[in-house]
Amino acid sequence: MKILGIETSCDETAAAVVENGHTLLSNKVTSSIDLHKVYGGVVPEIAARSHIEYIIPVITGALEEANCNWSDIDAISVTYGAGLGGSLLVGVITARSLAISFNKPLIAINHARSHIYGNFITKTELKNYSLPKSTPSFPFIGLILSGGHSQIVLFKSHSDYKVLGKTQDDAIGEAFDKVAKILGLPYPGGPSISKLAQAGDPDKIDFPKPHMQKYDFSFSGLKTAVLRYAQKSIGESYTFPSKMLSERLTMRQKADIAASFEKTAIEYIVDKVKAALKEFKVSSLVVAGGVAANMHLRKELARLGIELFIPDIKLCTDNAAMVASLGYYLFKENKQKSEPYKLDIEPSLMM
Ligand code: KG4
Ligand code: ZN
């Protein structure tokens, strides 16, 4: 069974064809990230306009790469939330129109949940993918770390899962992006912080780890601690504008802040994951989302000594392969089938 996945929840316009949930036949992603860089974050209006421009070429490209025409496609799955309203709307309206025109079943996909399914892609003939030999087996702990989500989830089956904890304020990716802004690094902040951190001392600054209940997270306090430390280290008070900090900090100071921030944030996450693995006695950890691209995180999780799934970097950040894979499992279980004339977006959709 071949599913066409469509993903437009943020700034990536993506389409992919996946067979039987695990074989990647095509994976096309176009990002409007360069247009947002000058603003230091994603501008919703620009993202939506860019989706309109790219959605058809990206879908056509995915079908061509998969060597498919419409008669080969069994169903269309599309992200309907959570995400930016205008962005989601472009993907959903396009998927609805295609489902109606070509008479295909339409499956509505939850973006955060779909991130986990980057780990269910095990085969491809496309070049430069490093994939696991088998799909994760249930039960497992899912760790979703992206620009919009930080969640620890217990998965008992494809459709039976429980969110054990989540962020109460900023998502981890958002914290990386905000700290990068303080240090004058380009958006997105994750990769630039990691790069700079390599030149810094991770033990130089003792940033606080917020006390949250059990598996919940909080990252906004950590971001503020970075801001206060940066202001203090140039001899200014907490009223000093964050925009002007980066030009006053030395490269050494910036690198130490980046390394200490990265170490604290990742230690905080890994400690919570360790506790969840112990409490629920599962033998696998399945990691997903843009922040799963972080090398320091990958190294620390690998030391936990359990079966670890982390997708290829191309399947960590937003893509439609994960949307098509989850679409397959939902279709098989007869879940989330939508009325092509009715499916609406849900920008604040929860897991
Ligand atoms: O999953 P994703 O592509 O989009 C959302 O669903 O949010 O995640 C994007 C986030 C950004 O905040 C970005 O800074 C972060 O992933 N990110 C990283 C790294 N690469 C991307 N964070 C830490 N280290 C990285 N290497
Ligand atoms: Zn995402």
Side-chain angles (χ1 to χ4, degrees):
M1 172 175 281
K2 289 178 184 152
I3 310 259
L4 170 71
I6 298 174
E7 155 65 42
T8 62
S9 66
C10 190
D11 56 334
E12 274 92 12
T13 316
V17 180
V18 173
E19 189 165 18
N20 298 332
H22 54 60
T23 301
L24 185 65
L25 301 181
S26 65
N27 189 25
K28 293 287 184 195
V29 184
T30 297
S31 176
S32 56
I33 206 155
D34 288 340
L35 301 175
H36 305 287
K37 269 185 179 151
V38 282
Y39 305 102
V42 174
V43 182
E45 174 73 16
I46 295 176
R49 282 168 186 265
S50 172
H51 287 308
I52 293 173
E53 198 173 323
Y54 291 120
I55 187 83
I56 298 299
V58 164
I59 291 173
T60 311
L63 289 172
E64 271 172 21
E65 187 173 51
N67 233 336
C68 285
N69 52 42
W70 284 106
S71 61
D72 300 316
I73 299 296
D74 297 289
I76 297 171
S77 61
V78 63
T79 307
Y80 75 111
L84 302 170
S87 291
L88 289 166
L89 209 52
V90 179
V92 166
I93 293 293
T94 307
R96 282 173 49 177
S97 312
L98 292 169
I100 293 165
S101 307
F102 295 104
N103 196 23
K104 306 287 178 192
L106 182 64
I107 308 150
I109 298 292
N110 177 317
H111 179 73
R113 186 176 167 192
S114 73
H115 262 297
I116 286 289
Y117 286 76
N119 291 287
F120 281 75
I121 307 286
T122 54
K123 291 187 196 123
T124 190
E125 287 185 1
L126 301 178
K127 291 209 173 74
N128 300 324
Y129 280 84
S130 158
L131 301 177
K133 287 191 179 61
S134 60
T135 56
S137 26
F138 297 100
F140 59 75
I141 292 289
L143 177 64
I144 306 168
L145 302 172
S146 72
H149 302 271
S150 311
Q151 284 169 328
I152 300 184
V153 186
L154 174 66
F155 280 88
K156 291 187 182 159
S157 73
H158 290 292
S159 47
D160 182 6
Y161 60 88
K162 185 175 177 222
V163 178
L164 303 176
K166 58 180 192 249
T167 184
Q168 298 300 308
D169 40 57
D170 292 350
I172 172 72
E174 215 175 336
F176 269 89
D177 296 338
K178 286 180 176 169
V179 169
K181 214 167 177 178
I182 294 171
L183 300 182
L185 302 174
Y187 178 84
S192 29
I193 292 260
S194 295
K195 199 163 160 222
L196 183 61
Q198 285 169 14
D201 175 2
D203 298 316
K204 177 84 184 180
I205 311 152
D206 200 11
F207 287 127
K209 286 184 200 152
H211 291 288
M212 294 302 291
Q213 122 158 327
K214 242 176 168 186
Y215 302 117
D216 282 341
F217 299 107
S218 161
F219 291 104
S220 80
L222 180 56
K223 172 207 68 192
T224 307
V226 168
L227 176 63
R228 298 287 174 259
Y229 179 89
Q231 288 162 326
K232 207 168 153 207
S233 55
I234 58 161
E236 296 285 354
S237 79
Y238 70 94
T239 57
F240 188 80
S242 61
K243 261 195 232 156
M244 290 160 67
L245 274 170
S246 81
E247 61 201 46
R248 296 266 305 269
L249 291 164
T250 64
M251 271 321 276
R252 177 85 245 156
Q253 285 172 319
K254 287 185 192 182
D256 287 342
I257 292 174
S260 302
F261 160 76
E262 184 179 59
K263 182 191 161 201
T264 308
I266 285 168
E267 230 171 47
Y268 182 50
I269 293 167
V270 172
D271 285 349
K272 301 240 167 191
V273 168
K274 264 192 215 164
L277 290 168
K278 200 168 159 202
E279 180 175 349
F280 295 97
K281 297 184 178 59
V282 300
S283 55
S284 317
L285 174 65
V286 179
V287 191
V291 183
N294 185 280
M295 286 305 166
H296 184 60
L297 173 77
R298 287 173 175 241
K299 224 187 282 166
E300 290 303 311
L301 293 176
R303 285 153 51 130
L304 294 179
I306 51 145
E307 189 184 28
L308 177 64
F309 289 83
I310 307 184
D312 186 284
I313 288 181
K314 296 183 279 308
L315 299 174
C316 283
T317 45
D318 286 350
N319 65 85
M322 62 191 195
V323 175
S325 175
L326 174 56
Y328 167 77
Y329 291 104
L330 294 178
F331 190 75
K332 261 198 348 183
E333 293 184 0
N334 215 9
K335 301 237 165 71
Q336 287 298 114
K337 257 196 222 153
S338 295
E339 229 329 297
Y341 283 96
K342 290 197 184 138
L343 177 63
D344 203 355
I345 58 165
E346 279 195 42
S348 307
L349 183 67
M350 308 285 272
M351 261 287 282

